[in-house]
């Protein structure tokens, strides 16, 4: 490599920024080229000194100030521990599970009372009912879903 | 002693005291980062306040497998850039209206004993663009790797190397204004 190419690589010689093969080539050149060597030394010195000054001039908080900044952050709405919740209880899964449970339970518990002639007072009452409604309310959004079924448990059209 | 992720969980579960323990190792680092980027300690503190608010607000987004340090510095850098952008907007506005003087030159830190060192640092860093400065401060100041720096700044490793190289060249040139030496003379 010639001096021009070497000079381009010099700023990155102070760390692991360039591949070993190139570092070796640059080092070999620096051994025999005093001009590039001086240039390299100048980079090393300027970087060392600047780092040193940065350390010397580093700032710290007064404890009182730091506490105030922490308090300022904590005034904000507290983060929710949503990602700590195991998957079956995460929002979307919770809604899906809830919906499935409701459907399965109603099919298991309510439907047989229509098929068989009910004998109990409660069953008779259900059988007499023309329309059954089921309401789902979201705790978070307040959104309300109302399902209407006829006594054969067929979804009924709602007339507003 | 609890590890960082356990502390994050603690905060999320409502134990606010853990928030302070969690940030303790970074309190100086983020202040100095913001200080070098803004060039003013009071402004740096404002940036840090914004940073801490974002950290607290988005703590639930922090992933266990990620490095907390990198995440905190990413937020610090974003807050700094936001601040500098706002400041520039404000400056432009003021310049347009030609009412208030933009820079009064009043700098409380100049009264401090280490005024001289600050001036040296300012001289060395003054020709760096914000990107060059942030790359230099993260890589050479804070010791992040090129890859980590690229992740924090949201750019490629190639871009980090290019900006780092330019930053070191500029620093080396500026450095000669402080240490005017003939090559080979100054060796420490
Ligand atoms: Zn040479």
């Amino acid at each position: 490599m010639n001096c021009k190419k070497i000079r381009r690589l010099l700023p990155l010689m102070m760390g692991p920024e360039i591949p070993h093969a190139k570092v070796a080539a640059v080092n070999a050149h620096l051994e025999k080229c005093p001009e590039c060597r001086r240039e390299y030394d100048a980079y090393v010195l300027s970087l060392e000194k600047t780092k040193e000054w940065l350390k010397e001039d580093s700032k710290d908080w007064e404890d009182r100030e730091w506490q105030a900044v922490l308090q300022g952050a904590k005034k904000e709405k507290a983060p929710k521990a949503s990602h700590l919740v195991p998957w079956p209880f995460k929002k979307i899964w919770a809604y899906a599970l809830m919906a499935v449970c409701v459907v399965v339970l109603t099919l298991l518990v309510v439907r047989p009372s229509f098929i068989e002639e009910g004998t109990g007072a409660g069953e008779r009452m259900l059988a007499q009912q023309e329309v059954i409604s089921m309401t789902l309310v979201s705790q978070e959004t307040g959104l309300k879903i109302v399902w209407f079924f006829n006594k054969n448990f067929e979804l009924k059209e709602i007339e507003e | 002693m609890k590890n960082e992720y356990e502390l994050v969980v603690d905060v999320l579960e409502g134990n606010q005291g853990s928030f302070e323990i969690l940030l303790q190792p970074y309190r100086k680092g983020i202040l100095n980062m913001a200080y070098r980027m803004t060039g003013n300690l009071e402004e740096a503190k404002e940036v840090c306040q914004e940073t801490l608010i974002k950290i607290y607000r988005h703590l639930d987004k922090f992933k266990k497998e990620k490095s907390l340090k990198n995440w905190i510095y990413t937020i610090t850098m974003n807050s700094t850039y936001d601040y500098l952008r706002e400041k520039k907007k404000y400056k432009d506005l003021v310049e347009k209206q030609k009412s208030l003087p933009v820079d009064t030159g009043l700098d409380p830190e100049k009264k401090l004993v280490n005024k001289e060192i600050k001036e040296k640092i300012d001289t060395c860093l003054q020709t760096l663009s914000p990107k060059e400065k942030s790359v230099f401060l993260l890589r050479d100041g804070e010791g992040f790797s090129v890859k980590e720096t690229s992740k924090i700044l949201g750019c490629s490793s190639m871009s980090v190397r290019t900006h780092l190289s330019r930053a070191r060249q500029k620093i080396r040139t500026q450095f000669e204004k402080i240490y005017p030496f003939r090559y080979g003379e100054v060796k420490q």
Side-chain angles (χ1 to χ4, degrees), chain A residues 11 16-17 38-39 43 54 56-59 61 63 65 67 69 73-74 76 79-80 83, chain B residues 5 12 16 20 27 32 36 45 49 56-57 60 114 117 139 161 168-169 172 183 187-188:
Chain A
E17 279 87 30
R38 280 181 210 124
E39 191 68 12
Y43 273 116
L54 284 173
E56 278 177 50
D57 187 43
S58 88
K59 306 286 179 202
W61 300 86
D63 281 330
E65 285 176 327
Q67 288 306 326
V69 173
K74 285 192 261 182
E76 286 288 307
K80 280 184 190 153
H83 79 302
Chain B
Y5 187 71
L12 292 175
Q16 299 213 340
E20 187 184 347
R27 68 178 235 179
N32 283 290
R36 295 297 163 213
K45 284 171 185 169
Q49 177 70 82
Y56 188 68
R57 195 188 289 157
D60 57 333
N114 54 3
I117 297 172
R139 177 73 195 90
R161 274 193 208 94
R168 285 175 178 170
Q169 281 174 46
R172 181 225 171 287
Y183 288 140
K187 270 279 185 97
Q188 297 200 345

Side-chain angles (χ1 to χ4, degrees), chain B residues 18 24 42 55 57 61-62 65 75 103 142 154 156 188:
Chain B
S18 296
Q24 185 62 27
E42 288 313 309
I55 293 172
R57 195 188 289 157
K61 309 259 180 348
F62 174 70
E65 62 276 10
I75 296 176
D103 195 352
E142 297 293 321
S156 66
Q188 297 200 345

Side-chain angles (χ1 to χ4, degrees), chain A residues 1-4 6-7 29-30 32-37:
Chain A
M1 276 192 273
N2 60 27
C3 290
K4 205 177 161 191
I6 296 290
R7 299 281 167 106
H29 180 92
L30 295 180
K32 55 182 172 58
C33 178
E35 285 80 19
C36 288
R37 178 83 224 176

Side-chain angles (χ1 to χ4, degrees), chain A:
Chain A
M1 276 192 273
N2 60 27
C3 290
K4 205 177 161 191
K5 272 187 185 166
I6 296 290
R7 299 281 167 106
R8 269 211 302 269
L9 291 172
L10 285 183
L12 294 179
M13 280 288 288
M14 275 75 69
E17 279 87 30
I18 44 177
H20 289 300
K22 274 190 182 168
V23 173
V26 174
N27 278 331
H29 180 92
L30 295 180
E31 288 290 310
K32 55 182 172 58
C33 178
E35 285 80 19
C36 288
R37 178 83 224 176
R38 280 181 210 124
E39 191 68 12
Y40 173 72
D41 287 344
Y43 273 116
V44 173
L45 183 66
S46 64
L47 191 61
E48 267 177 14
K49 278 282 167 194
T50 310
K51 280 188 188 177
E52 201 179 287
W53 293 331
L54 284 173
K55 271 209 188 92
E56 278 177 50
D57 187 43
S58 88
K59 306 286 179 202
D60 199 359
W61 300 86
E62 280 174 37
D63 281 330
R64 174 185 52 82
E65 285 176 327
W66 178 242
Q67 288 306 326
V69 173
L70 284 168
Q71 287 309 320
K74 285 192 261 182
K75 263 186 228 150
E76 286 288 307
K77 194 178 155 214
K80 280 184 190 153
S82 64
H83 79 302
L84 303 173
V85 182
W87 71 267
F89 304 107
K90 281 198 178 175
K91 231 189 276 169
I92 189 126
W93 286 105
Y95 285 134
L97 269 181
M98 190 174 75
V100 170
C101 286
V102 165
V103 171
V104 168
L105 274 173
T106 34
L107 283 177
L108 282 176
V109 178
V110 184
R111 181 127 194 174
S113 72
F114 291 107
I115 301 161
E116 296 163 40
E117 272 292 317
T119 48
E123 282 170 314
R124 258 201 308 278
M125 236 171 81
L126 264 176
Q128 281 159 8
Q129 236 172 285
E130 286 296 318
V131 177
I132 299 159
S133 79
M134 205 155 64
T135 311
L136 294 177
V137 185
S138 161
Q139 284 193 328
E140 220 167 285
T141 58
L143 186 77
K144 211 189 250 181
I145 302 168
V146 187
W147 289 343
F148 292 95
F149 300 92
N150 67 12
K151 61 183 176 183
N152 295 325
F153 216 75
E154 291 157 352
L155 206 64
K156 207 180 153 118
E157 274 189 26
I158 306 159
E159 286 165 18
E160 298 258 310

Side-chain angles (χ1 to χ4, degrees), chain B residues 13-169:
Chain B
E13 283 173 348
N15 184 0
Q16 299 213 340
S18 296
F19 189 58
E20 187 184 347
I21 307 171
L22 189 71
L23 287 166
Q24 185 62 27
Y26 310 110
R27 68 178 235 179
K28 247 182 114 171
I30 58 172
L31 176 67
N32 283 290
M33 197 67 203
Y35 173 49
R36 295 297 163 213
M37 291 300 292
T38 58
N40 178 296
L41 196 55
E42 288 313 309
E43 290 183 342
K45 284 171 185 169
E46 271 179 55
V47 170
C48 287
Q49 177 70 82
E50 199 49 45
T51 304
L52 259 62
I53 288 174
K54 284 179 189 160
I55 293 172
Y56 188 68
R57 195 188 289 157
H58 300 294
L59 204 57
D60 57 333
K61 309 259 180 348
F62 174 70
K63 299 273 187 300
K64 192 181 181 178
E65 62 276 10
K66 300 269 175 183
S67 147
L68 184 75
K69 187 182 179 189
N70 291 7
W71 189 66
I72 287 177
Y73 273 85
T74 306
I75 296 176
T76 308
M77 293 315 292
N78 288 341
S79 303
T80 308
Y81 277 121
D82 287 346
Y83 184 88
L84 292 174
R85 221 173 286 134
E86 281 304 309
K87 195 177 157 186
K88 194 183 173 293
K89 250 191 243 165
Y90 174 74
K91 271 192 176 178
D92 288 350
L93 193 76
V94 170
E95 257 165 46
K96 247 183 227 167
Q97 291 172 342
K98 287 186 178 165
S99 51
L100 290 163
V102 180
D103 195 352
T104 55
L106 281 174
D107 192 351
E109 290 92 67
K110 292 217 163 146
K111 290 170 194 152
L112 296 177
V113 192
N114 54 3
K115 177 188 162 197
E116 203 187 318
I117 297 172
K118 189 186 184 293
E119 276 172 2
K120 284 177 184 169
I121 297 169
D122 288 347
T123 307
C124 284
L125 303 186
Q126 74 183 3
T127 58
L128 271 61
S129 71
K131 179 77 181 278
E132 288 161 357
K133 206 193 267 185
S134 45
V135 166
F136 171 75
L137 291 170
L138 288 167
R139 177 73 195 90
D140 287 332
E142 297 293 321
F144 284 104
S145 70
V146 168
K147 201 174 172 194
E148 284 170 328
T149 305
S150 75
K151 280 192 180 156
I152 290 173
L153 297 176
C155 61
S156 66
S157 295
M158 179 63 102
S159 163
V160 169
R161 274 193 208 94
T162 310
H163 284 91
L164 183 65
S165 176
R166 252 184 252 147
R168 285 175 178 170
Q169 281 174 46

